[in-house]
Amino acid sequence: MEFAAAAETFTEHLQQVRRLSPATVRAYRSDLRDLGESFDGADLAAVDLEVLRDWLWKATQRGDARSTLARRAAAARSFFTWALEQELIDHDPSLRLVAPKRGRTLPTVASQDAMRELLETKQAAAVEGDPIALRDHAILELLYGAGIRVSELCGLDIDDLDLDRGTARVLGKGAKERVVPFGVPARIAVAGYLTRARPSLRARAETATPAVFLGARGARVGPRTVYSLVADALAPFVGAETVGPHALRHTAATHLLDGGADLRAVQEILGHASLGTTQIYTHVSAERLTATYRLAHPRA
């Protein structure tokens, strides 16, 4: 079978059967396309361990990060495991493929004081009733208050919100649905946006949409708009040039643990499939505690 055709069938399997996120499917498709272009011949059976090792070596020479190399190796292993199960090949060439381990990098996290100042600034900007200012304040409060992903926020519909209970129903990775809580400040900000801003934004569109958050033209707000909003608002507080909505998710998780939340509860709130993914925030909390100790203790 042709490699390209097999790779495309595999990515359709990831999307339709395994229901992986669109971003993961795009990454795997890109990785397999790069693999297909790295060796001569279009036959799937032509790929052996040496081809795979040479492919990763070329990526190393390009300067790809260790995390990228690890993902490429994972994509190849997943693809060839599937191909063997489908009897497209008679052996798996990726069994002995080794990629460098991902480097552990702690996520960017804002302090509680920084978040308080940021949100108070946005709240003050929304007092005059500008629709975009009201929307931006509500978005930031909800991203931080619920710890949701940018895709989950952009996908929210009106029926997904329960302001009386302070919960939102979101669709996470793998099309898994969960209900997440958020606090009083987020409830107030979202309620204010829905009553004072959303109607005027909705009137700018030719067709109605059930989306909670709308763009300047009245359509569902997109991830790029949210990225720009968070980057402009948060970067000065964390001292980073590139920062996105995920930093608010990291911050929410870290502050939950700092406040004594159970690790498994935080896992459920964030929608992590593995507890190991959530445990990174225990390292963040420990480092913050250590830094405080070194600054404050006379014998540190």
Side-chain angles (χ1 to χ4, degrees):
M1 186 176 186
E2 289 189 355
F3 179 87
E8 186 59 33
T9 302
F10 171 67
T11 52
E12 290 175 0
H13 166 79
L14 294 179
Q15 184 174 11
Q16 299 172 10
V17 179
R18 294 180 56 184
R19 301 181 69 83
L20 299 185
S21 71
T24 301
V25 174
R26 284 196 300 271
Y28 273 38
R29 180 179 283 116
S30 174
D31 291 339
L32 293 175
R33 184 181 296 119
D34 187 71
L35 171 58
E37 294 171 354
S38 72
F39 69 96
D40 295 328
D43 190 359
L44 176 61
V47 182
D48 57 18
L49 181 59
E50 290 307 312
V51 167
L52 295 175
R53 285 174 172 169
D54 184 63
W55 172 54
L56 290 183
W57 179 80
K58 289 177 180 177
T60 303
Q61 297 301 107
R62 285 199 305 264
D64 287 6
R66 288 195 298 175
S67 58
T68 302
L69 296 174
R71 191 201 66 220
R72 287 180 179 274
R77 285 193 290 266
S78 183
F79 169 63
F80 285 106
T81 297
W82 169 85
L84 187 62
E85 292 173 350
Q86 300 298 312
E87 299 183 349
L88 302 179
I89 53 178
D90 56 16
H91 71 283
D92 183 350
S94 68
L95 286 177
R96 292 191 292 138
L97 182 64
V98 177
K101 293 183 178 180
R102 296 174 184 266
R104 179 177 288 274
T105 56
L106 296 179
T108 299
V109 171
S111 69
Q112 293 186 31
D113 288 340
M115 287 306 306
R116 186 179 300 109
E117 183 179 349
L118 184 158
L119 294 171
E120 287 177 351
T121 300
K122 288 298 180 180
Q123 183 181 20
V127 167
E128 298 299 324
D130 176 71
I132 298 299
L134 284 162
R135 182 205 65 187
D136 290 352
H137 177 222
I139 285 176
L140 291 169
E141 285 280 10
L142 195 57
L143 282 173
Y144 174 58
I148 56 178
R149 302 177 177 93
V150 63
S151 60
E152 295 169 348
L153 177 126
C154 293
L156 278 175
D157 290 338
I158 295 295
D159 291 342
D160 295 326
L161 290 178
D162 186 337
L163 292 181
D164 292 332
R165 297 191 178 194
T167 61
R169 183 176 65 246
V170 299
L171 195 63
K173 289 186 175 181
K176 293 180 181 178
E177 188 178 278
R178 72 185 190 282
V179 175
V180 293
F182 52 89
V184 173
R187 290 165 67 179
I188 294 173
V190 172
Y193 157 75
L194 290 176
T195 56
R196 299 172 58 200
R198 188 178 181 278
S200 62
L201 292 176
R202 179 181 175 184
R204 301 177 186 181
E206 295 181 0
T207 58
T209 172
V212 172
F213 294 107
L214 307 179
R217 297 183 179 181
R220 185 183 295 273
V221 74
R224 288 187 179 181
T225 299
V226 181
Y227 266 90
S228 297
L229 163 63
V230 175
D232 292 342
L234 191 59
F237 291 94
V238 296
E241 294 182 2
T242 57
V243 62
H246 225 66
L248 290 181
R249 182 168 159 87
H250 295 321
T251 299
T254 303
H255 292 175
L256 280 168
L257 290 172
D258 286 345
D262 177 75
L263 188 62
R264 288 201 175 275
V266 176
Q267 178 191 3
E268 290 186 20
I269 291 171
L270 298 181
H272 285 160
S274 168
L275 186 64
T277 306
T278 316
Q279 284 176 329
I280 183 66
Y281 300 112
T282 63
H283 294 283
V284 177
S285 295
E287 287 216 347
R288 288 157 62 93
L289 187 63
T290 302
T292 301
Y293 172 84
R294 287 174 177 167
L295 284 173
H297 199 289
R299 302 286 286 181

